[in-house]
Coordinates of all heavy atoms in Angstrom, one line a residue:
T493 N 58.3 53.2 186.3 CA 57.2 52.5 186.7 C 57.1 52.3 188.2 O 56.2 52.6 189.0 CB 57.0 51.3 185.9 OG1 56.9 51.5 184.6 CG2 55.7 50.6 186.4
L494 N 58.3 51.8 188.7 CA 58.4 51.6 190.2 C 58.4 52.9 191.0 O 57.7 52.9 192.0 CB 59.8 50.9 190.5 CG 59.8 49.4 190.1 CD1 61.2 48.9 190.1 CD2 59.0 48.5 190.9
E495 N 59.0 54.0 190.4 CA 58.8 55.2 191.2 C 57.3 55.8 191.2 O 56.9 56.3 192.2 CB 59.8 56.3 190.7 CG 59.7 57.6 191.5 CD 60.8 58.6 191.0 OE1 61.8 58.3 190.4 OE2 60.7 59.8 191.4
F496 N 56.7 55.5 190.0 CA 55.3 55.9 190.0 C 54.5 55.2 191.1 O 53.6 55.7 191.7 CB 54.8 55.7 188.6 CG 53.4 56.3 188.5 CD1 53.1 57.5 188.0 CD2 52.3 55.5 188.7 CE1 51.8 58.0 187.8 CE2 51.0 55.9 188.6 CZ 50.7 57.2 188.2
I497 N 54.7 53.9 191.1 CA 54.0 53.1 192.0 C 54.2 53.5 193.5 O 53.4 53.6 194.3 CB 54.4 51.6 191.9 CG1 53.9 51.0 190.5 CG2 53.9 50.7 193.1 CD1 54.6 49.7 190.2
Q498 N 55.5 53.8 193.7 CA 56.0 54.2 195.0 C 55.3 55.5 195.4 O 54.7 55.6 196.5 CB 57.5 54.5 195.0 CG 58.1 55.4 196.1 CD 59.3 56.0 195.9 OE1 60.2 55.5 195.2 NE2 59.4 57.3 196.0
R499 N 55.3 56.5 194.5 CA 54.6 57.8 194.9 C 53.1 57.9 194.8 O 52.4 58.4 195.7 CB 55.2 58.9 194.1 CG 56.7 59.1 194.2 CD 57.3 60.2 193.5 NE 58.7 60.3 193.7 CZ 59.4 60.7 194.7 NH1 58.6 61.3 195.7 NH2 60.7 60.8 194.9
R500 N 52.6 57.3 193.7 CA 51.1 57.4 193.6 C 50.3 56.4 194.2 O 49.3 56.6 194.9 CB 50.9 57.3 192.0 CG 49.3 57.6 191.8 CD 48.8 58.9 192.2 NE 47.4 59.0 191.9 CZ 46.5 58.6 192.8 NH1 46.8 58.0 193.8 NH2 45.1 58.8 192.5
F501 N 50.8 55.1 194.3 CA 50.0 54.0 194.9 C 50.3 53.8 196.4 O 49.5 53.5 197.1 CB 50.2 52.7 194.1 CG 49.7 52.9 192.6 CD1 50.3 52.1 191.7 CD2 48.8 53.7 192.3 CE1 49.9 52.3 190.3 CE2 48.3 53.9 191.0 CZ 48.8 53.1 190.0
I502 N 51.7 53.7 196.7 CA 52.0 53.3 198.1 C 52.2 54.6 199.0 O 52.0 54.5 200.1 CB 53.4 52.7 198.0 CG1 53.4 51.5 197.1 CG2 53.8 52.1 199.4 CD1 52.3 50.4 197.2
G503 N 52.5 55.8 198.3 CA 52.5 57.0 199.2 C 53.7 57.3 199.9 O 53.8 57.9 200.8
I504 N 55.0 56.7 199.3 CA 56.1 57.1 199.8 C 56.8 58.2 199.0 O 57.1 58.1 197.8 CB 57.1 55.9 199.7 CG1 56.7 54.8 200.6 CG2 58.5 56.3 200.3 CD1 57.5 53.5 200.6
N505 N 57.0 59.4 199.7 CA 57.4 60.7 199.0 C 58.6 61.3 199.7 O 58.3 62.5 200.2 CB 56.2 61.6 198.8 CG 55.2 61.1 197.6 OD1 55.6 61.0 196.5 ND2 54.1 60.6 198.2
P506 N 59.7 60.8 199.9 CA 60.8 61.5 200.5 C 61.2 62.7 199.8 O 61.1 62.8 198.6 CB 61.8 60.5 200.7 CG 61.3 59.1 200.3 CD 60.1 59.4 199.4
E507 N 61.6 63.7 200.5 CA 62.0 65.0 199.9 C 63.4 64.9 199.2 O 63.7 65.7 198.2 CB 62.1 66.1 200.8 CG 63.1 65.9 202.0 CD 63.2 67.2 202.8 OE1 63.7 68.2 202.3 OE2 63.0 67.1 204.0
R508 N 64.2 64.0 199.6 CA 65.6 63.7 199.1 C 65.8 62.3 198.7 O 65.2 61.4 199.4 CB 66.6 64.3 200.0 CG 66.6 65.8 200.4 CD 67.8 66.2 201.2 NE 67.7 67.6 201.5 CZ 68.1 68.6 200.7 NH1 68.7 68.3 199.5 NH2 68.0 69.8 201.0
G509 N 66.7 62.1 197.8 CA 67.3 60.8 197.5 C 66.3 60.2 196.4 O 65.3 60.6 196.0
T510 N 66.7 58.8 196.0 CA 65.9 58.2 195.0 C 66.4 56.7 195.1 O 67.4 56.4 195.6 CB 66.3 58.6 193.6 OG1 65.7 57.9 192.6 CG2 67.8 58.8 193.3
K511 N 65.4 55.8 194.7 CA 65.8 54.4 194.6 C 66.3 53.9 193.2 O 66.7 52.9 193.1 CB 64.5 53.7 194.8 CG 64.1 53.4 196.3 CD 65.0 52.2 196.9 CE 64.5 51.8 198.2 NZ 65.5 50.8 198.9
A512 N 66.4 55.0 192.3 CA 66.8 54.6 191.0 C 68.4 54.7 190.9 O 69.0 55.4 191.7 CB 66.2 55.7 190.0
K513 N 68.9 54.0 190.1 CA 70.4 54.0 189.9 C 70.9 55.1 189.2 O 70.2 55.7 188.4 CB 70.8 52.8 189.1 CG 70.6 51.4 189.9 CD 71.1 50.1 189.0 CE 70.9 48.9 189.6 NZ 71.3 47.7 188.8
R514 N 72.1 55.7 189.7 CA 72.7 56.9 189.0 C 73.7 56.2 188.1 O 75.0 56.3 188.4 CB 73.2 57.7 190.1 CG 73.6 59.2 189.4 CD 73.9 60.1 190.6 NE 74.3 61.3 190.1 CZ 75.5 61.8 190.0 NH1 76.5 61.0 190.3 NH2 75.8 62.9 189.5
G515 N 73.4 55.8 187.0 CA 74.3 55.1 186.0 C 74.8 56.0 184.9 O 74.8 57.3 185.0
K516 N 75.2 55.5 183.8 CA 75.8 56.2 182.7 C 74.6 56.2 181.6 O 74.0 55.3 181.4 CB 77.1 55.5 182.1 CG 78.1 55.3 183.2 CD 78.9 56.6 183.5 CE 80.1 56.4 184.4 NZ 80.9 57.6 184.5
V517 N 74.6 57.4 180.9 CA 73.7 57.6 179.9 C 74.4 58.3 178.7 O 75.4 58.9 178.8 CB 72.4 58.4 180.2 CG1 71.7 57.6 181.2 CG2 72.9 59.8 180.7
V518 N 73.8 58.2 177.5 CA 74.5 58.9 176.4 C 73.8 60.4 176.3 O 72.5 60.5 176.2 CB 74.0 58.2 175.0 CG1 74.6 58.9 173.8 CG2 74.7 56.8 175.1
S519 N 74.6 61.3 176.3 CA 74.1 62.8 176.2 C 73.4 63.0 174.9 O 74.0 62.7 173.9 CB 75.3 63.6 176.4 OG 74.9 65.0 176.2
K520 N 72.2 63.6 175.1 CA 71.5 63.8 173.8 C 72.1 65.0 173.0 O 71.9 65.1 171.8 CB 70.1 64.2 174.2 CG 69.3 63.0 174.7 CD 67.8 63.4 174.9 CE 67.0 62.2 175.6 NZ 65.7 62.5 175.9
K521 N 72.8 66.0 173.7 CA 73.4 67.0 173.1 C 74.8 66.8 172.5 O 75.1 67.1 171.3 CB 73.6 68.2 174.1 CG 72.3 68.8 174.5 CD 72.5 70.0 175.5 CE 71.1 70.6 175.9 NZ 71.3 71.7 176.8
K522 N 75.7 66.0 173.3 CA 77.0 65.8 172.9 C 77.2 64.3 172.3 O 78.2 64.1 171.7 CB 77.9 65.9 174.0 CG 78.0 67.4 174.7 CD 78.8 67.4 175.8 CE 78.8 68.9 176.3 NZ 79.7 69.1 177.5
G523 N 76.3 63.4 172.5 CA 76.4 62.0 172.0 C 77.4 61.2 172.6 O 78.0 60.2 172.0
V524 N 77.9 61.6 173.8 CA 79.0 60.8 174.6 C 78.4 60.2 175.8 O 77.3 60.7 176.3 CB 80.2 61.7 174.9 CG1 80.8 62.1 173.6 CG2 79.8 62.9 175.7
I525 N 79.1 59.3 176.5 CA 78.7 58.7 177.8 C 78.9 59.7 178.9 O 80.0 60.2 179.0 CB 79.3 57.4 178.0 CG1 79.1 56.4 176.8 CG2 78.9 56.8 179.4 CD1 77.7 55.9 176.8
V526 N 77.8 60.0 179.6 CA 78.0 60.8 180.8 C 77.3 60.3 182.0 O 76.5 59.4 181.8 CB 77.4 62.3 180.5 CG1 78.2 62.9 179.4 CG2 75.9 62.1 180.1
Q527 N 77.7 60.8 183.2 CA 77.0 60.4 184.3 C 75.5 60.8 184.4 O 75.3 62.1 184.2 CB 77.8 60.9 185.7 CG 77.3 60.4 187.0 CD 77.8 59.0 187.2 OE1 78.8 58.7 186.7 NE2 77.1 58.3 188.0
K528 N 74.6 60.0 184.7 CA 73.1 60.4 184.7 C 72.9 61.3 186.0 O 73.4 60.9 187.0 CB 72.3 59.1 184.7 CG 70.8 59.6 184.8 CD 70.0 58.2 184.3 CE 70.1 57.1 185.4 NZ 69.3 56.0 185.1

Side-chain angles (χ1 to χ4, degrees):
T493 300
L494 286 167
E495 183 172 345
F496 185 94
I497 292 170
Q498 164 204 316
R499 296 187 181 280
R500 182 62 183 84
F501 299 151
I502 311 301
I504 296 177
N505 288 289
E507 62 169 300
R508 294 184 182 276
T510 173
K511 274 283 188 183
K513 292 181 179 179
R514 191 169 180 263
K516 304 283 187 178
V517 295
V518 178
S519 171
K520 293 181 179 179
K521 291 184 178 180
K522 300 180 180 180
V524 298
I525 301 296
V526 296
Q527 189 77 25
K528 183 164 62 176

